[in-house]
Amino acid sequence: MGTGVFTLNDLIGQIKAIRSNADIKLIERAFAVADAAHKGQKRMSGEPYIQHPLNTAMILVEMHAPDSVVAAALLHDVPEDTNVTLDEIEEKFGKDIASMINGISKVGKIKYRGVERYIENLRKMFVAMANDIRVIIIKFADRLHNLQTLDSLPQKKAYRIALESLEIYAPIAGRLGMNEIKGRLEDAAFKYVLPKEYEWTLDLSTRATTNKQPYIQKIVEQIREELFKDGIQYIDIHGRYKHLYSLYRKLLKYGRDVTKIYDFTAIRCILPTTADCYAALGIIHSRWTPLKGRIKDYISQPKPNGYQSLHTTVFYDRGSIVEFQLRTPEMHESAEFGIAAHWSYDEVKGKQFVADRFKHMLDAEKEIEWISQLAVLQNTIKDKKEFLDSLEELKLDVFRDRIFVYTPKGDVIDLPEDSTPIDFAYHIHTDIGNTCSAAKVNGMIHPLDQALKSGDIVEIILDKSRKGPNPDWLRFAKTRHAKSKIRQYARAGLANWIKGVIPHAMRKKTKNK
Ligand code: MN
């Protein structure tokens, strides 16, 4: 469902379609207050303002948000933009709804204004998220509707909003497993941030998918027949098209070579049980030949972000290639909506979820570790260029595509793409990094400067007599953490060396001056 002109009845109809026991009274009350408060206000597009909260609420209903969240969405701009205060809202709707709205206005003040502010913005975002994950989810819906109506804003402002969506919002949605909203945020922003590239990708995608359209239809029919013959029920089978921005990223990765992309479209089969998924996989393979190395069982081995599905790519007629994705409805909801598929989580579980998803940024006490990293960075690095470089590294750490590797004990370690065994070693412990002498990957010796791949089992071989890291490692270490530890050791080494060389008495003298 896109953006549109909605009425309260549309919203209520949509809610009733999802939940029979919805608190419609609450929705009606929230709408009445918002509608009265925004009366006479117009958006830049000329529409009545109430269309914005209504659209935001609609997006959340699609994500099966509970009534309190939908009510908060309807009221989200009231205290900020009208005469009705937060206190009045709390009086009428209670603490829970008022606190969500308060959180939304706080996050709303976060603006992308250059790198220096960027840090501060991210910090606020994570703090808000750690406090109440629902706030961020409402913010995503709010932002998505704003992106869909960017055309009516001045170009510069539109660009700024699109950029901050691409740089801040979408990656966070991705980390929360909210792939559908991530894809929609990215696609809406892509158009404004990189208009030429957007057109190029859209054109490629349109051509590829119109060519495939007829036979996708045919495959869907064929697979339905095959399943029916074998007595396997299915819930839904449909073609899915890759989101444009993720397609664009993939194209860049393959040097813009379109022939390397197998998943412009995929056939998605939603089946009642896990057993049905495996059975359907067998049926697909008996009918069409699978491509070697492209059968992936994320059901028995979920991705570390929890993603579950069976994937396979098969040769279809005349050498065309088609990807299938098989999953149960629960797996589907989880893949599309991530944390928002589990609205019923309690506060503690919600915080745990955020902690798990942002594991590398959060330490055991749930303090946001990388925020303190940032503070250190800000305080220790005075040189602007060095600061910006470090910031770039940190940003890469946090937001680049990540790989997931295993320790020999089977613990999953989450690292940025192109990380090497050195990054892995320092991630485990500084001492492991400092005394690392070699690495084994999947049982074989692996050069320290060679990148790891998702799924690798990495074992670090230590040399306890080693004096410290090799400064050469700086050339290929990827994470800021590893680099800073290597540099730190080099600096400490120098200081120790100076201590050793300059006699104690002399140093004392110097100090007294
Ligand atoms: Mn808003």
Side-chain angles (χ1 to χ4, degrees):
M1 187 183 306
T3 165
V5 177
F6 294 124
T7 63
L8 173 63
N9 278 336
D10 294 331
L11 183 69
I12 290 174
Q14 193 77 9
I15 296 172
K16 280 183 173 162
I18 288 166
R19 259 194 309 278
S20 52
N21 59 346
D23 185 353
I24 300 298
K25 279 266 168 311
L26 172 67
I27 304 297
E28 286 171 345
R29 282 200 301 131
F31 178 83
V33 170
D35 195 33
H38 288 299
K39 190 118 264 156
Q41 292 180 348
K42 288 214 181 329
R43 301 201 85 212
M44 291 293 267
S45 58
E47 283 179 312
Y49 195 89
I50 192 68
Q51 280 304 318
H52 169 61
L54 256 179
N55 270 274
T56 307
M58 268 310 217
I59 294 169
L60 286 157
V61 171
E62 271 181 79
M63 292 160 70
H64 299 195
D67 304 321
S68 59
V69 171
V70 178
L74 285 171
L75 293 160
H76 81 271
D77 280 330
V78 166
E80 197 76 351
D81 298 340
T82 78
N83 296 325
V84 181
T85 65
L86 192 64
D87 286 342
E88 290 169 65
I89 287 184
E90 184 171 334
E91 239 166 72
K92 289 193 173 99
F93 297 95
K95 255 202 162 60
D96 187 46
I97 289 179
S99 102
M100 277 189 263
I101 294 169
N102 188 28
I104 299 158
S105 353
K106 277 193 191 148
V107 176
K109 299 211 174 72
I110 299 172
K111 298 269 166 6
Y112 186 85
R113 298 199 202 283
V115 265
E116 282 88 356
R117 295 286 294 280
Y118 181 91
I119 301 169
E120 185 59 15
N121 293 340
L122 285 170
R123 193 184 66 81
K124 284 186 191 151
M125 198 85 165
F126 283 107
V127 171
M129 188 158 57
N131 283 338
D132 187 346
I133 190 83
R134 296 173 304 174
V135 167
I136 295 299
I137 301 176
I138 299 171
K139 196 61 205 167
F140 288 149
D142 170 49
R143 176 49 60 103
L144 185 59
H145 181 246
N146 282 334
L147 283 173
Q148 286 162 343
T149 51
L150 274 189
D151 269 338
S152 43
L153 292 187
Q155 209 186 343
K156 226 178 157 179
K157 196 170 180 199
Y159 176 79
R160 203 255 304 148
I161 292 175
L163 186 65
E164 94 187 1
S165 306
L166 212 53
E167 292 256 319
I168 301 181
Y169 287 74
I172 293 176
R175 296 291 287 167
L176 293 172
M178 304 173 67
N179 292 319
E180 177 57 25
I181 202 110
K182 173 181 181 252
R184 286 167 72 180
L185 285 166
E186 282 180 343
D187 284 6
F190 185 22
K191 192 171 145 191
Y192 294 92
V193 175
L194 296 162
K196 288 213 176 87
E197 299 291 79
Y198 173 82
E199 288 303 328
W200 174 71
T201 314
L202 179 64
D203 182 54
L204 273 180
S205 163
T206 316
R207 270 187 284 151
T209 49
T210 17
N211 287 341
K212 288 195 171 183
Q213 198 90 29
Y215 82 82
I216 292 288
Q217 212 51 46
K218 214 168 121 197
I219 298 171
V220 170
E221 277 159 33
Q222 281 171 336
I223 186 77
R224 280 181 182 152
E225 262 170 47
E226 298 284 339
L227 291 177
F228 180 77
K229 264 195 273 172
D230 281 54
I232 294 175
Q233 293 190 339
Y234 58 84
I235 292 167
D236 188 24
I237 297 176
H238 59 269
R240 83 99 180 85
Y241 299 97
K242 207 172 173 61
H243 279 292
L244 284 184
Y245 189 67
S246 88
L247 175 61
Y248 171 68
R249 293 272 301 256
K250 198 159 187 177
L251 280 160
L252 289 189
K253 199 166 145 189
Y254 290 108
R256 296 180 185 256
D257 182 353
V258 186
T259 61
K260 295 261 165 60
I261 312 281
Y262 296 138
D263 62 343
F264 272 109
T265 57
I267 309 284
R268 197 168 271 164
C269 309
I270 316 285
L271 300 128
T273 67
T274 302
D276 294 326
C277 293
Y278 286 106
L281 184 73
I283 290 168
I284 291 166
H285 286 168
S286 66
R287 166 110 197 207
W288 298 294
T289 311
L291 249 78
K292 237 191 180 152
R294 295 198 46 102
I295 305 168
K296 287 173 192 144
D297 183 352
Y298 297 121
I299 291 183
S300 69
Q301 287 186 302
K303 288 190 186 179
N305 66 5
Y307 177 83
Q308 286 190 295
S309 276
L310 298 175
H311 288 192
T312 187
T313 307
V314 302
F315 291 102
Y316 190 64
D317 286 349
R318 281 167 280 127
S320 37
I321 281 165
V322 181
E323 181 175 310
F324 284 90
Q325 302 175 347
L326 312 150
R327 48 174 80 155
T328 66
E330 295 75 31
M331 293 170 194
H332 183 60
E333 283 243 312
S334 204
E336 300 271 292
F337 300 135
I339 187 172
H342 313 281
W343 285 106
S344 54
Y345 67 84
D346 55 45
E347 203 190 335
V348 178
K349 269 200 214 142
K351 283 189 177 166
Q352 190 53 50
F353 187 98
V354 176
D356 289 347
R357 283 298 186 269
F358 293 85
K359 177 160 93 252
H360 63 293
M361 302 175 207
L362 303 164
D363 71 17
E365 283 146 53
K366 299 196 187 69
E367 257 302 306
I368 297 171
E369 179 193 292
W370 78 283
I371 289 176
S372 51
Q373 283 184 23
L374 273 175
V376 172
L377 207 64
Q378 273 171 306
N379 292 333
T380 53
I381 306 180
K382 299 294 177 211
D383 177 64
K384 188 153 178 162
K385 189 182 171 305
E386 198 188 331
F387 173 73
L388 290 181
D389 287 349
S390 305
L391 182 64
E392 201 46 43
E393 284 167 16
L394 186 68
K395 211 169 107 188
L396 288 184
D397 280 7
V398 177
F399 289 137
R400 248 326 139 66
D401 288 338
R402 312 214 37 111
I403 57 163
F404 299 93
V405 297
Y406 298 92
T407 68
K409 281 186 186 158
D411 293 326
V412 177
I413 305 291
D414 166 0
L415 292 166
E417 221 171 35
D418 294 328
S419 287
T420 62
I422 292 295
D423 299 296
F424 175 88
Y426 277 102
H427 184 98
I428 304 286
H429 196 277
T430 305
D431 290 341
I432 306 271
N434 286 343
T435 56
C436 163
S437 74
K440 274 188 179 172
V441 170
N442 307 324
M444 310 262 278
I445 288 291
H446 184 98
L448 290 179
D449 63 353
Q450 209 160 300
L452 299 169
K453 292 190 307 296
S454 265
D456 280 347
I457 301 167
V458 188
E459 186 185 344
I460 299 296
I461 300 162
L462 302 178
D463 175 2
K464 295 281 184 204
S465 63
R466 199 186 167 95
K467 288 277 180 292
N470 184 342
D472 243 25
W473 293 349
L474 284 171
R475 281 190 301 111
F476 50 80
K478 276 283 169 307
T479 56
R480 203 195 69 81
H481 178 70
K483 288 186 189 186
S484 82
K485 290 293 175 192
I486 299 167
R487 283 193 202 111
Q488 209 177 68
Y489 196 93
R491 274 200 294 269
L494 189 65
N496 287 333
W497 180 79
I498 291 171
K499 266 187 216 160
V501 173
I502 304 177
H504 181 70
M506 233 175 107
R507 271 188 286 135
K508 213 170 174 186
K509 231 182 191 171
T510 325
K511 214 176 156 190
N512 287 342
K513 262 207 275 192

